[in-house]
Amino acid sequence: MNNLPKLERFNENVLSKYQIYNSIFTTLPFDTIDDTGVLLPLLHKVCKAGFDLEKNPTEIVDHFFKKYQETLTEKEKTDLLFRFIQFIERQVVLFDAVEDAAFPVVNNMDGIGTLRNSKEVSSLSNKMDELKKHLEDFKVRIVLTAHPTQFYPGTVLGIITDLDEAIQNDDLLLIRKLLAQLGKTPFYKKEKPTPFDEAVSLIWYLEHVFYHSVPKIYNYIQHHIYDGEPIDNEIIELGFWPGGDRDGNPFVTTKITLDVAERLRQTILRNYYRDVRRLKRRFTFDGVQDILVRLEKRLYKHVVRSYTKVNFSQKILLDELYAAREIIVNEHQSLFVEELNDFINKVRIFGFHFATLDIRQDSRVHHQAFIQIVKDLHEIGDTTFPENYLNLSEKEQVDILSVVKGNIDPNVLTDETSVKTIESIYALKEIQQRNGERGANRYIISNNQTALNVMETFAMLNLCGFENELPVDVIPLFETVEDLENAEEVMRTLYSNKTYRYHLTRRKDKQTIMLGFSDGTKDGGYLMANWGIFKAKEALTRISREFDIEVVFFDGRGGPPARGGGKTHQFYASLGPTIEDKEIQLTIQGQTISSNFGTQNSSQYNLEQLISSGIKNDVFTKDQLNESHRELINDMASTSYQTYVDFKNHPQFLPYLEKMSTLKYYAKTNIGSRPSKRSNSDTLDFSALRAIPFVGSWSQLKQNVPGFFGVGTALKKYEDAGKFDEVVEFYHSSDFFRTLLENSMMSLTKSFFGLTSYMAEDPEFGEFWKLIFKEYQTTKRLLLKLTGEEELMENFPVGKASIEIREQIVLPLLTIQQYALKKIQELQKTEGSSEEIEVYEKMVMRSLFGNINASRNSA
């Protein structure tokens, strides 16, 4: 089977099976949708033919009703459209399950980018010593975030998992039952989830996927690269944001932070408890059985009886396991010792925390809270800060902030935000006491602009009783183009501060810096965001090496290329020697979690791809940009940036998003706990708009502007100047530039301007739509010219095929969404009834879900 070309394996194991199972699904008798399965293919046919004839969505839907359901009342028509939406949502789930089940067949689990391949290449190249040295301190950290781009409730996740297994086993009877269950299971969340709900949803992946895939990778490295010798490096670490990410989320409280941390601890200990019970069946001999019985009882107290007294730790558990292993090796001929070693590795990797809970807050919120803290302390006569502190220069304030110590009582504070900020730090301390230091040891400052932003956080931590040593990494997050350019100077100020430098000494001379692709793209466009982050990483690497500090870059990546997603591992493989690469840290969010890490096979494969990208960049060839390439991409990024900024400043930019897209409906979907914008203003403020609904709204329009706008203009500049061959040479010689443009091609592939071509005739937005479409056409034409391809993503036929099928599935859904948006506009113009408008608004909102999940990396 694996000898077949990859596309043939995809067609045979994904496309064909989906068509078979979908035909079963469409004939199942559901409660109120017995005719939907028959009518939906007809609607799909009408949609495809209609768009080929350049009809608009309203004409297409009206034609469908006239041809196939002419006798229906208006209410019956809208009811049928809602049933279509429900049906298509479930078709997307079915395709997900089929694709997940076929993952190990379609993808070569031992091919390029896997650890086995990396080991074989290293062995053939006589570089096994270099490989071992690299893995001694290289790490990959996957940080799960609950940004609102995933809506499957836990019940549906369970069905997907069971479908995956049933499809792999070709169990047709069970598949039929599961499809029937899927048809009767609600998808829609009536209430917004709390941050704790989001945490519980993501812990499902930790428990059912990462708990198994991560140790499997570690065990492979230990046995096949280090010949069974112990490795003093976990290699893969997990991070967690739900419950700790306060940035723009007023619903994250101190109690929720503590509850999430406890849920993480309980979950990992529950898994340990199960493993110890399994091990007892193997190790029935003297000495070892006694240790396992003792551990089973202790774990039982903490898991089943929720024992709250802190008298159990990772070290205590490991010491017991090491003692058991010694007995097995010395007295029982190492019988079954590999099973105990597997469990020991799990305990070493996951500790008592499972995943590190990061705390995050916006620098502007911090700054206001800190000012109030200083005022409140002055009010009660506290002398921690001099009376004139607030009137001092930034440099003088930084000097004071570097040395303050204390133990602030939140009860003396008068401002609610100040109280919450200080309480979150005390919560961090409590988590460390219960879950170990790795339970929560990172504080991220988003929208970081100055050294003062970092030092205010540093001071607040030191004012919460950490005394002599601060076991917390303070992590600035640079996001906008301007902040990225200023990042080097900010870090120079921090590194030059003796107290902060001493703090880094105590943190193993490491400084983690986070860089935000999402807001960078929103602020500066696709090319400038990626190039700006690349240059910032180079500058931050230089300044860190100057101060003998190892900088670790933490990338805030979303799902689509517009937010740093796409072929992520290829980016890391192309960084070159001018960027520090001892660790890869990145956020994984929304449907990217389920698509890339939703099953044990996909999780193992994608984690290995990330590890191997680090190996490729460090052990093998390093892709380094020469001076002419730097000048070229710098000029292209500048051209693209100016094009994007002009577009963003267009007077119709915000009105277009507000009136013609689904932007305002994101807040109503109940997908995530966090508001869709940072301010409470009724008017649309671009700076307060979050990147997820911004990028997602363009995706729903099938225009994907953030993933390409400005790229075509930048390429055209070189075509017009007769220098296009320079760009072609750059593309073929640079992995970084090639990956950058290939990801943009993915954005173009997922665009479909036929859906909204009716807007070209709109009296208000017609010219603006044409402006977007022109840039799309220019970008597509020149990228094809650059690559020499006939079609977009020609060199990635499986990815292209997957996108095409998903786009076909949701074509009627997109049509219905645009139909509903047009109806709303018409009703608003004619002052139609609010009840009618509400129905169509609900239709728009409900149609968001299937579109989001079909794209898998749409927002």
Side-chain angles (χ1 to χ4, degrees):
M1 178 64 70
N2 281 326
N3 291 327
L4 291 172
K6 191 172 182 179
L7 183 58
E8 285 187 34
R9 299 200 301 272
F10 175 86
N11 288 336
E12 188 172 319
N13 293 277
V14 179
L15 179 57
S16 296
K17 285 190 175 182
Y18 169 73
Q19 290 169 340
I20 292 168
Y21 298 140
N22 187 50
S23 66
I24 297 172
F25 183 54
T26 55
T27 58
L28 289 173
F30 299 128
D31 293 341
T32 59
I33 54 173
D34 53 323
D35 59 341
T36 309
V38 176
L39 291 172
L40 184 56
L42 298 175
L43 175 60
H44 186 280
K45 185 178 179 181
V46 169
C47 289
K48 190 174 186 311
F51 285 121
D52 286 344
L53 294 170
E54 299 183 358
K55 302 287 186 181
N56 66 50
T58 302
E59 292 171 326
I60 290 169
V61 173
D62 287 344
H63 176 69
F64 167 78
F65 283 123
K66 185 176 180 180
K67 187 170 183 179
Y68 297 108
Q69 296 287 298
E70 193 172 12
T71 61
L72 296 184
T73 65
E74 285 304 312
K75 184 180 184 307
E76 288 172 333
K77 286 179 181 178
T78 55
D79 286 348
L80 181 58
L81 292 177
F82 275 114
R83 297 206 301 269
F84 284 146
I85 291 170
Q86 293 170 342
F87 209 95
I88 295 167
E89 285 173 347
R90 287 152 179 80
Q91 286 182 314
V92 172
V93 171
L94 174 58
F95 187 78
D96 282 349
V98 173
E99 196 166 41
D100 287 344
F103 190 93
V105 178
V106 175
N107 298 278
N108 186 349
M109 299 296 285
D110 294 321
I112 294 172
T114 64
L115 282 172
R116 179 171 180 176
N117 175 258
S118 294
K119 185 215 169 195
E120 289 174 351
V121 172
S122 297
S123 180
L124 290 171
S125 307
N126 294 317
K127 290 192 173 185
M128 283 301 294
D129 289 341
E130 289 96 324
L131 176 61
K132 290 179 182 178
K133 187 175 185 303
H134 169 78
L135 290 172
E136 282 172 7
D137 57 2
F138 176 77
K139 292 182 190 294
V140 168
R141 179 186 290 255
I142 298 295
V143 181
L144 305 184
T145 75
H147 292 337
T149 60
Q150 173 64 279
F151 83 101
Y152 292 147
T155 49
V156 175
L157 286 173
I159 296 171
I160 293 174
T161 302
D162 294 342
L163 257 178
D164 179 342
E165 187 176 345
I167 291 168
Q168 287 190 59
N169 296 330
D170 288 323
D171 189 339
L172 201 58
L173 181 62
L174 180 57
I175 291 168
R176 184 181 174 85
K177 288 182 177 180
L178 290 169
L179 290 175
Q181 180 188 4
L182 189 67
K184 293 174 177 287
T185 302
F187 276 39
Y188 179 58
K189 295 177 181 177
K190 295 180 180 177
E191 297 179 358
K192 285 181 78 71
T194 67
F196 184 77
D197 295 332
E198 292 174 330
V200 170
S201 295
L202 287 192
I203 288 172
W204 187 92
Y205 290 100
L206 292 179
E207 183 171 16
H208 295 280
V209 179
F210 288 100
Y211 184 73
H212 304 282
S213 62
V214 172
K216 188 174 181 180
I217 293 170
Y218 185 91
N219 293 340
Y220 179 89
I221 292 171
Q222 186 177 47
H223 291 300
H224 296 281
I225 295 178
Y226 286 90
D227 301 319
E229 294 297 317
I231 318 166
D232 189 25
N233 179 24
E234 294 80 16
I235 298 175
I236 300 172
E237 295 178 329
L238 300 176
F240 205 75
W241 275 17
D245 182 8
R246 284 168 163 71
D247 180 14
N249 194 338
F251 307 113
V252 177
T253 63
T254 301
K255 182 181 185 304
I256 282 179
T257 300
L258 291 169
D259 286 348
V260 169
E262 182 59 18
R263 183 64 173 250
L264 286 164
R265 189 180 81 96
Q266 290 284 325
T267 305
I268 191 61
L269 293 185
R270 182 168 65 244
N271 280 275
Y272 292 165
Y273 175 71
R274 291 171 184 154
D275 278 355
V276 166
R277 287 177 63 84
R278 279 194 287 268
L279 289 172
K280 277 178 61 187
R281 297 181 62 181
R282 289 283 179 262
F283 300 108
T284 51
F285 14 94
D286 289 342
V288 183
Q289 182 76 189
D290 296 338
I291 292 173
L292 294 177
V293 168
R294 187 160 64 243
L295 288 177
E296 182 186 12
K297 288 179 179 177
R298 296 194 77 168
L299 287 165
Y300 181 86
K301 285 181 181 180
H302 284 264
V303 176
V304 180
R305 291 168 53 190
S306 296
Y307 200 57
T308 55
K309 188 176 179 182
V310 182
N311 65 341
F312 197 27
S313 66
Q314 178 190 22
K315 183 180 183 306
I316 292 171
L317 178 54
L318 282 173
D319 286 345
E320 292 272 44
L321 294 173
Y322 290 146
R325 184 169 64 184
E326 192 169 342
I327 295 171
I328 294 165
V329 171
N330 294 333
E331 300 178 22
H332 302 288
Q333 295 77 48
S334 298
L335 187 61
F336 294 124
V337 73
E338 65 279 356
E339 293 188 33
L340 181 63
N341 284 335
D342 174 65
F343 183 53
I344 288 172
N345 288 340
K346 286 178 179 176
V347 177
R348 288 192 60 219
I349 293 166
F350 301 123
F352 271 36
H353 64 289
F354 212 161
T356 300
L357 186 62
D358 289 347
I359 309 296
R360 184 172 80 129
Q361 184 55 283
D362 189 287
S363 66
R364 294 163 292 192
V365 176
H366 260 182
H367 183 63
Q368 293 304 315
F370 192 80
I371 288 173
Q372 192 58 47
I373 289 171
V374 173
K375 289 179 179 177
D376 287 342
L377 292 178
H378 284 162
E379 194 66 29
I380 63 170
D382 188 288
T383 58
T384 301
F385 295 94
E387 284 291 332
N388 66 337
Y389 172 80
L390 296 176
N391 296 321
L392 296 175
S393 68
E394 184 173 312
K395 182 181 182 305
E396 291 170 321
Q397 287 183 345
V398 166
D399 290 341
I400 292 170
L401 293 172
S402 65
V403 295
V404 293
K405 297 276 185 183
N407 211 331
I408 291 179
D409 180 359
N411 292 316
V412 306
L413 303 177
T414 61
D415 174 62
E416 184 184 4
T417 305
S418 301
V419 172
K420 287 181 177 179
T421 302
I422 294 301
E423 283 182 345
S424 71
I425 296 173
Y426 281 116
L428 187 151
K429 284 183 68 178
E430 186 176 336
I431 293 167
Q432 288 196 357
Q433 290 166 2
R434 289 184 60 75
N435 297 16
E437 187 198 303
R438 288 197 293 162
N441 62 0
R442 290 150 54 100
Y443 204 119
I444 300 161
I445 313 138
S446 55
N447 193 50
N448 196 96
Q449 299 174 347
T450 65
L452 183 66
N453 294 150
V454 177
M455 293 307 295
E456 285 176 341
T457 306
F458 183 70
M460 281 192 281
L461 287 160
N462 281 313
L463 287 168
C464 290
F466 277 107
E467 298 178 359
N468 295 325
E469 189 170 327
L470 179 62
V472 180
D473 294 323
V474 184
I475 303 175
L477 165 53
F478 301 105
E479 300 178 83
T480 67
V481 172
E482 183 180 358
D483 291 344
L484 289 168
E485 291 173 349
N486 296 336
E488 179 181 9
E489 194 55 40
V490 170
M491 297 315 298
R492 180 178 291 279
T493 301
L494 294 172
Y495 292 160
S496 300
N497 184 287
K498 290 182 180 179
T499 307
Y500 189 79
R501 181 65 184 87
Y502 176 75
H503 164 68
L504 291 180
T505 302
R506 307 297 296 175
R507 302 300 293 166
K508 300 181 180 179
D509 287 317
K510 284 188 178 183
Q511 170 68 56
T512 302
I513 298 173
M514 189 172 179
L515 302 162
F517 281 83
S518 301
D519 283 287
T521 304
K522 173 177 163 267
D523 180 56
Y526 180 72
L527 270 185
M528 178 56 86
N530 282 275
W531 178 235
I533 287 171
F534 188 94
K535 288 194 297 180
K537 283 185 175 182
E538 287 189 318
L540 293 166
T541 297
R542 280 195 305 271
I543 188 69
S544 299
R545 288 172 178 173
E546 181 183 328
F547 283 85
D548 295 321
I549 293 166
E550 182 183 309
V551 66
V552 176
F553 294 115
F554 176 22
D555 291 326
R557 292 179 175 273
R563 295 184 51 239
K567 301 175 181 68
T568 307
H569 61 279
Q570 291 185 12
F571 262 119
Y572 288 115
S574 68
L575 291 178
T578 57
I579 293 175
E580 198 69 73
D581 63 346
K582 288 286 182 66
E583 295 190 26
I584 290 175
Q585 296 190 9
L586 69 159
T587 55
I588 305 291
Q589 56 194 251
Q591 70 273 42
T592 308
I593 297 173
S594 57
S595 61
N596 288 0
F597 302 94
T599 67
Q600 291 180 34
N601 283 321
S602 63
S603 173
Q604 179 187 337
Y605 181 84
N606 284 299
L607 284 170
E608 287 192 20
Q609 292 287 319
L610 287 170
I611 294 171
S612 296
S613 69
I615 293 171
K616 180 178 182 293
N617 191 42
D618 189 45
V619 178
F620 299 103
T621 56
K622 283 183 177 285
D623 185 46
Q624 189 166 2
L625 302 178
N626 60 39
E627 199 55 42
S628 63
H629 290 162
R630 286 178 175 279
E631 289 177 8
L632 198 158
I633 192 170
N634 200 59
D635 182 60
M636 287 183 67
S638 297
T639 302
S640 175
Y641 175 66
Q642 191 55 55
T643 304
Y644 178 78
V645 169
D646 290 344
F647 173 66
K648 193 173 66 173
N649 291 335
H650 194 289
Q652 288 182 318
F653 181 83
L654 287 177
Y656 180 81
L657 274 177
E658 197 165 23
K659 295 180 183 179
M660 306 300 279
S661 82
T662 59
L663 181 65
K664 62 184 177 184
Y665 298 99
Y666 266 80
K668 302 177 182 180
T669 55
N670 293 335
I671 294 175
S673 69
R674 200 167 69 162
S676 60
K677 56 183 181 179
R678 287 184 169 89
S679 71
N680 295 320
S681 172
D682 291 334
T683 58
L684 185 58
D685 177 9
F686 184 78
S687 63
L689 180 61
R690 291 199 172 280
I692 289 169
F694 173 71
V695 174
S697 296
W698 290 112
S699 175
Q700 294 283 323
L701 284 169
K702 305 310 293 179
Q703 294 176 0
N704 288 324
V705 159
F708 72 83
F709 202 93
V711 175
T713 299
L715 290 170
K716 191 171 186 300
K717 177 181 175 181
Y718 281 79
E719 183 186 49
D720 291 345
K723 296 181 178 180
F724 200 73
D725 57 324
E726 294 179 15
V727 185
V728 173
E729 186 276 328
F730 185 21
Y731 173 83
H732 288 293
S733 61
S734 168
D735 288 343
F736 168 74
F737 188 54
R738 185 162 56 253
T739 303
L740 191 66
L741 295 187
E742 284 173 352
N743 278 342
S744 187
M745 291 173 81
M746 184 187 294
S747 293
L748 293 169
T749 303
K750 293 185 176 185
S751 298
F752 174 48
F753 277 81
L755 179 71
T756 57
S757 60
Y758 70 91
M759 294 182 187
E761 306 304 320
D762 187 271
E764 184 178 359
F765 296 109
E767 292 306 312
F768 189 73
W769 184 91
K770 291 174 185 175
L771 174 69
I772 301 169
F773 184 49
K774 182 181 178 183
E775 183 67 16
Y776 162 80
Q777 288 181 308
T778 301
T779 307
K780 180 180 178 180
R781 177 180 68 81
L782 290 174
L783 282 177
L784 290 175
K785 179 179 178 180
L786 174 64
T787 59
E789 297 175 5
E790 295 291 325
E791 297 179 333
L792 295 169
M793 293 185 69
E794 192 176 289
N795 290 335
F796 301 94
V798 171
K800 180 180 174 64
S802 178
I803 290 171
E804 286 176 350
I805 296 167
R806 290 174 179 278
E807 297 297 327
Q808 286 175 28
I809 292 171
V810 297
L811 183 64
L813 195 60
L814 293 163
T815 309
I816 291 169
Q817 185 184 83
Q818 285 296 317
Y819 170 79
L821 283 169
K822 200 83 170 66
K823 281 286 188 182
I824 293 167
Q825 292 166 13
E826 290 171 2
L827 288 167
Q828 287 172 340
K829 286 177 183 176
T830 59
E831 298 185 359
S833 72
S834 58
E835 290 81 5
E836 279 188 283
I837 292 173
E838 189 176 335
V839 168
Y840 287 111
E841 285 187 333
K842 184 181 177 183
M843 193 177 289
V844 173
M845 184 186 67
R846 287 299 313 279
S847 64
L848 284 169
F849 300 146
N851 291 333
I852 287 172
N853 286 289
S855 292
R856 281 206 157 182
N857 65 356
S858 63

